[in-house]
Amino acid sequence: MCGFISIFGPAESNAIHDVLTGLLAIQHRGQDAAGVVTFGDRFQAKKGLGLVREVFQEKHMQRLRGHLAVGHVRYPTVGLGEDTDVQPFWLDYPVGVAMAHNGNVTNFHDLRRTYFGQRKIHLGSNCDLEVVLYVFADALMRRGGHPVEVDDVRVAVKEVFDRVKGAYSVVGITGEGMYAFRDPYGIKPIIFGRKTTPEGTWYAVASESVVLDVAGYEVVRDLQAGEMLWIGPDRVPHFVQVGDKPHRPCIFEYIYFARPDTFLDRTSVYEARMELGRRLGRAFQRTGLQADVVIPVPESARTAAQTMAEVLGLPCREGFVKNRYVGRTFIMPNDKARRDSIRAKLNPIRAEFEGKKVIVLDDSIVRGNTSRQMVKIARQMGAEKVYLASYSPPLLYPCLYGIDMSTKREFIARGRDHAEIARELGADFVLYQTIEEMVDAVRTAGNGKLEFCKACFAGEYPTGDITEQMVADIEQDRMAATKC
Ligand code: AMP
């Protein structure tokens, strides 16, 4: 799960400042690496491992000039997290094109073996973006390459859709313009915006609307499933519907990934989480259990905890204090390292637990490491009862579209009923949202007709082309990534 932003500024402008402002706004989508490619009179790049503020320094601003730019923050799902895999990628020849994406190519290994293998083309990285870039650039080149017209981009996007499977929202630049496309099923988010300054009109495409907000752009609209955008030298946005598949945006974006101040497909993530909390509050009421307080696991569960508490007529309290300087726990090499770092990350406030029946609310339970630790800490702090609540349903199936969810074997809910999960996590009771309530809650918050990709909960993959081999390949990548 990554984040991107691409900018087409007025002639003579420099897009780099907006790109960096945008990348900082979506740092939550990837803290592993960051990169920017700009175009003034040629491509200039700066990429590196680490956070945006660590990778970019003032000296790079002088070099990264130009009115066209694309930037990326990485959360590795394919590849071993090496610096050769840091996006954006670009080619100077046979066509000048730079590209970044968010998502996962499910037939990456297959393409590497067949489409590229048979032509004796060796990929230079383990990043699946490389196959999208080559297929796209190859099609552009066969169209003549220069100058790029909207129909050339349409043909290239169609070629990508025909060959490359999975979920991938893509942004990029050529020397003449900016392009973007959303994957055939619209699983990954992508939104287009515009602003006018004395210098002229600026266009931006980003993963989340919050990027546009903070960089001063007004939201124009989300791209639809299978839709592309090209803005060339005429500076007019050209939208073309290339695919014809149903729109199935990822529901986990609303649960965990996106910032609460983002709108995805015209649905407020904040409103969605509020509604998810209300629904879970009502579900808790139906259990007949009594509680004294709702305590969120920071950060994502905060919004839902407030409404859950409201419904239950209970206080919502900050029982855990998060140290935001401890890095990501989720992809630590083993469970012991993960547990230690969760403890270092979240420290309790005894007064909120002592002698109380507490509801500890998290957005999701994956391997159960966080929940197990939270329950243990709550008991150490003297809680009388610990009820664990998740405002999403049990996670049971690996995400093959770019969210690092772990492999099937690691899901705590796999093969266990709720009582067994509670026992396994040491809780007095475990309450999950149902799939129906989750979908209905997110719909209530925005576009009432949206259908979602909910494969990680229900096991139905909207692309309908997932093979056992793809699952095995992706699981192997994950294991390799967490071992290195
Ligand atoms: P676990 O400790 O393995 O059960 O993971 C659950 C915790 O990780 C929750 O607190 C979530 O907020 C967080 N989480 C859920 N999904 C992801 C993900 N794909 N990447 C990183 N963190 C996640």
Side-chain angles (χ1 to χ4, degrees):
M1 205 73 197
C2 303
F4 56 62
I5 174 169
S6 190
I7 304 267
F8 187 166
E12 309 302 321
S13 67
N14 281 313
I16 182 65
H17 296 286
D18 282 5
V19 168
L20 292 184
T21 305
L23 288 184
L24 283 170
I26 42 164
Q27 185 77 83
H28 63 286
R29 298 185 71 88
Q31 297 101 50
D32 194 62
V36 169
V37 174
T38 62
F39 189 93
D41 52 6
R42 63 193 169 106
F43 288 114
Q44 292 278 2
K46 170 64 190 160
K47 311 198 273 182
L49 298 176
L51 300 173
V52 175
R53 67 161 188 267
E54 293 163 349
V55 173
F56 295 94
Q57 284 127 40
E58 194 52 42
K59 64 180 182 197
H60 303 124
M61 304 300 112
Q62 303 309 317
R63 190 166 57 77
L64 295 169
R65 304 190 73 77
H67 63 297
L68 287 157
V70 53
H72 187 263
V73 287
R74 183 182 76 180
Y75 166 104
T77 43
V78 165
L80 304 180
E82 287 162 9
D83 51 4
T84 46
D85 300 347
V86 182
Q87 300 190 30
F89 285 8
W90 83 97
L91 300 171
D92 291 303
Y93 178 85
V95 283
V97 52
M99 183 181 275
H101 88 329
N102 165 29
N104 192 43
V105 172
T106 48
N107 63 338
F108 174 62
H109 292 272
D110 185 39
L111 285 171
R112 188 152 67 177
R113 281 189 290 260
T114 56
Y115 181 76
F116 293 102
Q118 282 155 15
R119 297 152 108 200
K120 299 277 180 270
I121 297 169
H122 300 286
L123 299 180
S125 78
N126 287 305
C127 177
D128 54 352
L129 174 69
E130 202 179 357
V131 303
V132 184
L133 175 64
Y134 285 159
V135 171
F136 184 78
D138 193 51
L140 273 189
M141 183 198 64
R142 279 186 275 113
R143 296 279 296 187
H146 187 82
V148 176
E149 306 277 352
V150 60
D151 207 48
D152 301 325
V153 182
R154 182 191 62 77
V155 168
V157 172
K158 173 86 172 58
E159 177 108 6
V160 172
F161 286 174
D162 289 345
R163 292 198 185 278
V164 183
K165 308 294 171 207
Y168 43 81
S169 276
V170 174
V171 285
I173 53 174
T174 69
E176 301 145 321
M178 175 172 83
Y179 64 90
F181 50 97
R182 189 166 184 170
D183 58 274
Y185 290 83
I187 295 172
K188 296 296 171 189
I190 179 167
I191 190 157
F192 171 60
R194 175 179 50 207
K195 74 175 173 185
T196 307
T197 67
E199 291 166 283
T201 301
W202 301 64
Y203 296 103
V205 179
S207 302
E208 289 190 26
S209 65
V210 65
V211 176
L212 305 179
D213 293 347
V214 301
Y217 290 72
E218 69 179 272
V219 169
V220 176
R221 67 175 176 86
D222 303 89
L223 294 194
Q224 294 304 297
E227 189 182 24
M228 63 152 263
L229 165 68
W230 164 248
I231 308 178
D234 63 0
R235 307 188 63 83
V236 177
H238 299 276
F239 294 94
V240 184
Q241 187 61 43
V242 183
D244 58 359
K245 302 283 193 276
H247 193 59
R248 295 287 179 269
C250 165
I251 201 156
F252 204 68
E253 288 277 350
Y254 297 92
I255 303 292
Y256 172 75
F257 245 98
R259 270 175 57 154
D261 44 346
T262 277
F263 282 74
L264 301 169
D265 287 300
R266 290 184 289 124
T267 302
S268 154
V269 174
Y270 180 72
E271 295 284 341
R273 289 187 190 161
M274 299 248 280
E275 188 57 22
L276 286 159
R278 281 183 207 109
R279 305 266 171 144
L280 204 62
R282 282 180 223 127
F284 189 85
Q285 270 171 338
R286 289 194 290 274
T287 66
L289 293 168
Q290 297 299 317
D292 299 313
V293 63
V294 179
I295 296 179
V297 179
E299 306 283 333
S300 31
R302 280 199 173 127
T303 313
Q306 290 172 34
T307 46
M308 183 178 191
E310 259 166 46
V311 165
L312 293 169
L314 298 177
C316 172
R317 290 284 155 78
E318 300 279 342
F320 295 105
V321 177
K322 182 173 177 173
N323 178 348
R324 64 188 73 231
Y325 304 102
V326 176
R328 267 182 77 198
T329 51
F330 205 78
I331 57 157
M332 295 263 164
N334 56 53
D335 265 9
K336 164 101 178 48
R338 264 180 230 125
R339 280 195 302 272
D340 290 351
S341 120
I342 291 169
R343 185 65 188 81
K345 198 178 206 169
L346 294 163
N347 198 43
I349 299 214
R350 178 176 284 273
E352 295 301 350
F353 293 91
E354 203 153 33
K356 295 186 185 167
K357 300 186 191 77
V358 300
I359 299 174
V360 174
L361 176 68
D362 206 348
D363 59 273
S364 58
I365 305 173
V366 187
R367 300 179 182 99
N369 283 320
T370 309
S371 321
R372 196 179 281 115
Q373 284 274 338
M374 295 308 107
V375 173
K376 192 171 145 199
I377 295 171
R379 293 210 190 280
Q380 285 167 349
M381 294 298 111
E384 193 187 308
K385 295 273 181 203
V386 185
Y387 306 125
L388 199 58
S390 160
Y391 67 77
S392 63
L395 282 159
L396 295 169
Y397 303 91
C399 174
L400 303 179
Y401 303 129
I403 295 187
D404 177 9
M405 273 295 180
S406 86
T407 61
K408 275 199 296 248
R409 281 179 288 282
E410 293 176 302
F411 289 113
I412 186 92
R414 189 103 185 166
R416 293 190 177 93
D417 64 24
H418 291 197
E420 285 166 334
I421 298 169
R423 215 171 307 125
E424 188 64 31
L425 297 176
D428 293 295
F429 188 78
V430 167
L431 177 68
Y432 282 103
Q433 193 90 253
T434 64
I435 293 183
E436 294 71 27
E437 289 278 6
M438 169 183 68
V439 169
D440 208 53
V442 181
R443 280 189 189 147
T444 307
N447 179 345
K449 294 202 181 71
L450 271 185
E451 298 274 350
F452 299 96
C453 172
K454 41 187 182 343
C456 51
F457 302 111
E460 291 146 21
Y461 295 91
T463 53
D465 56 1
I466 300 301
T467 61
E468 282 302 313
Q469 185 61 47
M470 287 175 183
V471 178
D473 282 344
I474 285 169
E475 290 205 347
Q476 211 177 343
D477 285 340
R478 294 271 203 288
M479 315 268 268
T482 48
K483 275 201 189 86
C484 67

